[in-house]
Amino acid sequence: MGTFILRLTFWLLLTGLGGGENLLLGIGLALLLPRPFTNSASLGKLLRSLGTVLGAIPLAYLEAVGMILLPHRQERISIEKGQQPPLPDLVFLDILRITFTPKTLVVRDLGTAYEVHHLERRRSP
């Protein structure tokens, strides 16, 4: 069920149309696409992950303004824990959440964690 909702949401976001015909077409496509053979995320976990992605939108704007006003020249690599267990739907949303903000970028998926590149302001000595 979570995969179906995720596919339908992406369809509606990509097309940008909210009409009945587009909704029916999206439902049809979401049902026709092959199902993954791995375990799918529960609806609650999927909604929580979507909430964190939506919460990253205002943060991305704040970081972009901060980068315009103050230079960010220092780089740092860190390891961030991912969802446990790593389900394909949630891995995609985790990477989207991290990469959506302009100061962070996922360099590598380590299975249960992510190697993340950060931009920071130069610290005063």
Side-chain angles (χ1 to χ4, degrees), residues 26-121:
I27 290 171
L29 287 172
L31 290 173
L32 288 175
L33 288 172
R35 304 250 184 264
F37 293 109
T38 60
N39 292 336
S40 187
S42 69
L43 182 60
K45 287 183 179 181
L46 188 62
L47 290 176
R48 274 192 298 275
S49 292
L50 281 172
T52 59
V53 170
L54 292 176
I57 294 171
L59 178 64
Y61 280 107
L62 288 172
E63 287 184 4
V65 169
M67 289 177 70
I68 291 169
L69 299 176
L70 301 167
H72 288 65
R73 295 189 177 107
Q74 188 161 347
E75 299 178 25
R76 175 177 59 91
I77 299 287
S78 69
I79 304 294
E80 289 190 19
K81 290 181 73 173
Q83 295 282 337
Q84 300 296 330
L87 299 171
D89 301 339
L90 299 181
V91 168
F92 171 76
L93 290 174
D94 268 351
I95 292 173
L96 178 65
R97 175 188 53 84
I98 294 169
T99 307
F100 191 75
T101 57
K103 290 185 183 180
T104 57
L105 178 69
V106 174
V107 177
R108 185 171 41 183
D109 181 6
L110 302 172
T112 59
Y114 307 104
E115 186 176 336
V116 180
H117 177 267
H118 297 271
L119 283 178
E120 299 175 338
R121 286 183 31 202

